[in-house]
Amino acid sequence: MTPENTGTHGAVLTDPAAEPGAPVVELRGAGKSYGNIRALHGVDLKVFANQVTCVLGDNGAGKSTLIKIISGLHQHTEGEFLVDGGAVRFSTPREALDKGIATVYQDLAVVPLMPVWRNFFLGSELTKGPWPLRRLDIERMKQTADEELRNMGIVLDDLEQPIGTLSGGQRQCVAIARAVHFGARVLILDEPTAALGVKQSGVVLKYIAAARDRGLGVIFITHNPHHAYMVGDHFSVLRLGTMELNASRADVSLEELTNHMAGGTELAALKHELSQVRGVDVDELPEAGDLTAPVAPSEGKS
């Protein structure tokens, strides 16, 4: 890697000596407490290269806390956090970036009035010329941004257009391509489709799959089981700070994933309450046993 191809915010990323087939990121019984409030407890999670690991959960399930631990914003207070098999305890997001863990948040942290190419290199601008007369290497940044976006299948007619004029899906895709260029090995996507329509969500899901095919381990945070099932290889469902489901794609159907995401016990209780209301048909709602039964491996699922 050349000095110009540095990590996010200028951090040079090196290729780790991870064992083949070993998880890049792993949590073992990890948890986080804020005083006497336990936000996360006993979470086991493995993230492999070339895989999309979907973390699902409703509001308050612990998804944000999980993101903050892996991205270096907060430290875990119980369990273990390993990167390439070695225990770590990040103090800052910069330390996570140095390990190749990049996070794309919902608000994207872009400057809407700046051109696309400038946002692509925001905080990691390329320069040229001798000190103290160094200046921005605009042409090289434009060329690099265009090449990296095209490598991800993103073709923009004008890189000079303000990034704020792009659709929400396009902005998400630019952020993904930026993380890939700056050496991310694990990409955390925080609800990238939450504020998007159907078409734009499809665009983002396409580039999530493209990032996986480029060799990244992707952590896709979402509350939409349908979006998760389209691209996911492994599914983890959080509920009230604990892991309710941890299963590979071959072992869980979309219906089972949706039921775990919705909370089977609560739906069964809701069915009982709705049955007391006149005019509400609850015959088609699943029974408690159907929702809370353990997930068994399914044959013939890809």
Side-chain angles (χ1 to χ4, degrees):
M1 185 175 289
T2 62
E4 289 80 10
N5 291 334
T6 55
T8 307
H9 303 297
V12 178
L13 302 179
T14 58
D15 295 329
E19 296 180 9
V24 183
V25 167
E26 182 178 3
L27 296 178
R28 297 177 182 171
K32 174 66 177 177
S33 296
Y34 300 93
N36 60 356
I37 303 299
R38 178 178 273 181
L40 211 62
H41 172 63
V43 171
D44 295 319
L45 183 71
K46 293 182 179 181
V47 180
F48 295 88
N50 298 105
Q51 280 194 10
V52 177
T53 300
C54 299
V55 178
L56 301 96
D58 208 345
N59 293 336
K63 302 190 303 296
S64 295
T65 302
L66 182 67
I67 293 173
K68 290 172 182 176
I69 291 174
I70 300 176
S71 64
L73 279 170
H74 290 172
Q75 293 185 344
H76 55 290
T77 54
E78 60 183 81
E80 293 181 285
F81 178 18
L82 299 92
V83 177
D84 300 319
V88 296
R89 183 176 289 274
F90 296 141
S91 300
T92 65
R94 174 62 179 270
E95 294 181 8
L97 287 168
D98 290 345
K99 289 285 189 178
I101 301 173
T103 305
V104 177
Y105 291 100
Q106 223 171 331
D107 58 11
L108 297 180
V110 297
V111 182
L113 296 180
M114 279 189 176
V116 173
W117 66 267
R118 188 67 189 272
N119 274 280
F120 191 91
F121 282 95
L122 192 64
S124 302
E125 289 81 358
L126 303 180
T127 58
K128 63 180 179 180
W131 180 263
L133 302 177
R134 296 187 67 81
R135 58 195 184 278
L136 293 178
D137 193 343
I138 295 175
E139 290 304 316
R140 189 151 61 99
M141 284 192 284
K142 288 182 180 179
Q143 180 181 357
T144 302
D146 185 53
E147 290 176 355
E148 288 297 323
L149 290 172
R150 288 178 183 273
N151 287 341
M152 289 289 292
I154 307 168
V155 180
L156 298 178
D157 295 330
D158 184 13
L159 292 179
E160 287 287 355
Q161 68 185 106
I163 199 169
T165 64
L166 301 181
S167 67
Q170 288 175 318
R171 291 197 297 271
Q172 286 281 354
C173 297
V174 170
I176 292 172
R178 181 185 190 275
V180 172
H181 171 70
F182 283 106
R185 298 186 297 124
V186 172
L187 181 61
I188 306 172
L189 301 174
D190 177 22
E191 300 272 10
T193 61
L196 304 180
V198 175
K199 182 177 180 180
Q200 291 301 322
S201 295
V203 171
V204 173
L205 294 175
K206 172 185 174 182
Y207 294 118
I208 291 176
R212 173 187 60 195
D213 294 341
R214 291 282 296 270
L216 276 72
V218 180
I219 303 175
F220 178 22
I221 309 291
T222 182
H223 63 269
N224 190 319
H226 294 82
H227 289 172
Y229 208 76
M230 286 182 182
V231 296
D233 300 296
H234 193 91
F235 305 97
S236 297
V237 177
L238 286 172
R239 179 165 180 74
L240 299 178
T242 61
M243 194 73 78
E244 179 175 289
L245 173 72
N246 200 6
S248 65
R249 185 183 184 88
D251 296 334
V252 64
S253 67
L254 174 58
E255 182 180 3
E256 291 166 336
L257 181 64
T258 303
N259 287 339
H260 276 276
M261 170 68 186
T265 304
E266 284 73 13
L267 284 181
L270 178 61
K271 177 180 178 179
H272 176 72
E273 292 180 10
L274 289 176
S275 66
Q276 312 300 318
V277 181
R278 180 180 300 177
V280 178
D281 184 8
V282 298
D283 292 339
E284 298 301 320
L285 294 179
E287 298 292 340
D290 298 332
L291 293 170
T292 57
V295 176
S298 302
E299 296 180 1
K301 293 178 185 175
S302 57

